[in-house]
Amino acid sequence: MEGDWIEYYCREGQYARVVEVARKCGGDVKWKYYEGLGLVLGDKLTEGISCLEPLLTHGEYGLAAAHLSLIAHQSCQTVDRDAVAQLEWKVEDVGSVGERGLQLASSALLHSGRHAEARKYVERLLRLSPSSGAAMVVSGWLEMADGNTRAAAKLFKTALSQDKGNLDAVLGELAALNPADGLQLANQLIVRYPRSTPPLAEKMRLLLATKDWTQALDTASRLLTLDPDNLAALEVRAVHQLVVAGDYAEAAVAVRRHTAAVEAQGADLLWPAQLYSRLCGRNATILTETIRLATQATQVKPHDTRSLLELATQHRLAGRLGEANKAYRTVTRLDGTCTAALCGLTLVQLAQTGLTEQVTQQVEFLVEVMGAQPSPELLMLRCQCERDWGLLDKAVTLLTAAASHLPYGSKYLACLNPDLLMEIADLYPDTLEGLAQRVLVLRQVVEQCGGLAGAVLGLARALTASGDLGAATQLLSRVDPTNTDAHLVLAQIHLAQEKYEEANASLELGLSYNLQVRDRPLYHVLLGAIQRHHGDTQACAQSMRTALSLNKGEQPLSVSELGTLYLELVASLTASG
């Protein structure tokens, strides 16, 4: 029966599915409660309030219904203060609430993301009934949310010792196991529930944790056979196109298919927006889609700082600095203490004006406010103000440490934030030590996202500048042959090896795929070097002057490339007399 999986759908944020299953299963109080939960958490607030209202006086479901109704009222654009006051009084009056009522309330708060409140009810429930399996299951999921896998596994195991058929405890044990052991349990669940999608989705998650993309994609196909709009399977396909295949045209199609299903099922709009924007190498087509999702999220919740902050970040990634500035300022008006928004504003200002006295003062203020817990973004800002490259190392450590407790998969990749790691890597200086650190950071990105062309090319450039031409050439073989940037880097490598004909062939190949490569200053620097080798010093000088005139665009020359330009220009002018 699909109703067996209702708690799973709640945990996965599949609120439209929760409502659908609840309505299919009947009109008794249990299913009316789940219908109301799905409506409220799916942002259908008015419907949710109406659905839950008859349950507010119910002995078992009253407390959980009150909490969900309170969340709904507080999320409305026009808040009913009288209703909020009554509900706040009701959720405080828990003296007569029994074990089942406490368990339901703690579960509702867990699904709502109110973990501290959920934990209070679980603790109260365990004082009333120390051996309560239901309390142990909720407590186990709370521990999982905090990353305490061992403690969670122990709780799930204890719950299962009381009731081997407790499906939520089984799924909890599955989530807490290592992938090898978990796969065996997942296969047992697939045999037990052959027409249900959750066991297959969990198997796919475990396969991803081992980076077995082939089997994970096969499992995704099986999932889509049972459910053509399965969110987990569609997400895996899109992520694979981005981080493994590196096919941005196919990725854009896969992303749009996933986001359409997310919208249709009332799932969290911000999750795919955040995930894909951090993995797409700032691809314009995909960022347009993620910005659309983030914008839609702000329309659903106009005063939600989380949605507005994500929209601002999306605009910054897309280079829409004016829109980013506006969105960050809206967040600060709603919450003047939001340091993430203040950091974002400062990053935008730095990009617009360069390092000014005002930017420096804002960074100093943020350092004082954030104290011993700086964000990676603040460490980036400090580095640019203080020229202390060790701050970049700390920023990288913060990102990798935050992701280290998660198994490989979508959540791990979003937490790792390859886009921000690449942004940090670009800030290292073109010294031997700086290049070594840049290589170190970009290797970490490429190890996890081998299809991320920007990271592969950045690493190839850094290896080329470091003199490791063999490794750079090998890396470039993994990039789409139509990628113009790859041909420019390959031309640099050939020039470093004094293979001028091969360098010229690489430039011509890059030009054949994209005529706009002639708008890149690096193209003219490389062309000029080839021209001087062939004795055409006047053409070389002209190419270098063209490179200088183009060097104020979006892809300026690095310090070492600019040095090459001036050396070639001086040599060509000297030779010309």
Side-chain angles (χ1 to χ4, degrees), residues 248-411:
Y248 292 100
E250 287 297 321
V253 174
V255 166
R256 279 194 289 265
R257 185 177 175 195
H258 178 228
T259 56
V262 166
E263 292 174 88
Q265 296 179 39
D268 182 10
L269 296 171
L270 290 184
W271 165 244
Q274 180 186 27
L275 173 66
Y276 298 132
S277 64
R278 279 29 167 213
L279 300 180
C280 72
R282 306 200 179 181
N283 177 271
T285 303
I286 294 171
L287 283 179
T288 297
E289 177 66 10
T290 59
I291 288 171
R292 187 188 67 80
L293 281 183
T295 301
Q296 192 171 329
T298 64
Q299 291 168 349
V300 174
K301 296 181 178 179
H303 303 295
D304 178 35
T305 55
R306 175 173 167 258
S307 301
L308 287 163
L309 185 61
E310 184 58 39
L311 177 60
T313 302
Q314 298 272 331
H315 281 312
R316 187 180 79 82
L317 296 180
R320 302 175 181 180
L321 300 182
E323 291 91 337
N325 188 299
K326 182 180 177 181
Y328 280 128
R329 290 190 184 281
T330 302
V331 176
T332 58
R333 283 195 295 272
L334 292 170
D335 180 4
T337 64
C338 181
T339 54
L342 294 171
C343 273
L345 269 175
T346 309
L347 283 167
V348 168
Q349 188 172 346
L350 180 63
Q352 289 177 321
T353 66
L355 187 59
T356 63
E357 181 64 27
Q358 185 180 0
V359 168
T360 303
Q361 289 174 359
Q362 286 172 198
V363 172
E364 289 172 354
F365 169 75
L366 285 165
V367 169
E368 185 177 340
V369 170
M370 298 181 78
Q373 295 182 314
S375 66
E377 291 85 355
L378 178 56
L379 291 168
M380 282 171 53
L381 286 166
R382 278 189 61 194
C383 170
Q384 292 174 84
C385 291
E386 302 172 22
R387 316 304 288 175
D388 180 356
W389 312 113
L391 293 168
L392 297 180
D393 299 341
K394 292 180 181 178
V396 171
T397 299
L398 281 179
L399 288 168
T400 53
S404 63
H405 71 280
L406 295 170
Y408 185 81
S410 295
K411 290 181 180 178

Side-chain angles (χ1 to χ4, degrees), residues 505-528:
S506 292
L507 287 184
E508 289 181 353
L509 199 53
L511 185 62
S512 71
Y513 287 120
N514 186 357
L515 292 174
Q516 291 181 337
V517 73
R518 288 179 294 195
D519 297 332
R520 298 277 301 277
L522 180 58
Y523 171 83
H524 294 280
V525 171
L526 299 174
L527 179 61

Side-chain angles (χ1 to χ4, degrees), residues 532 537 541 566-577:
R532 190 174 73 82
T537 55
Y566 284 118
L567 287 172
E568 291 288 347
L569 181 59
V570 169
S572 62
L573 291 174
T574 301
S576 298

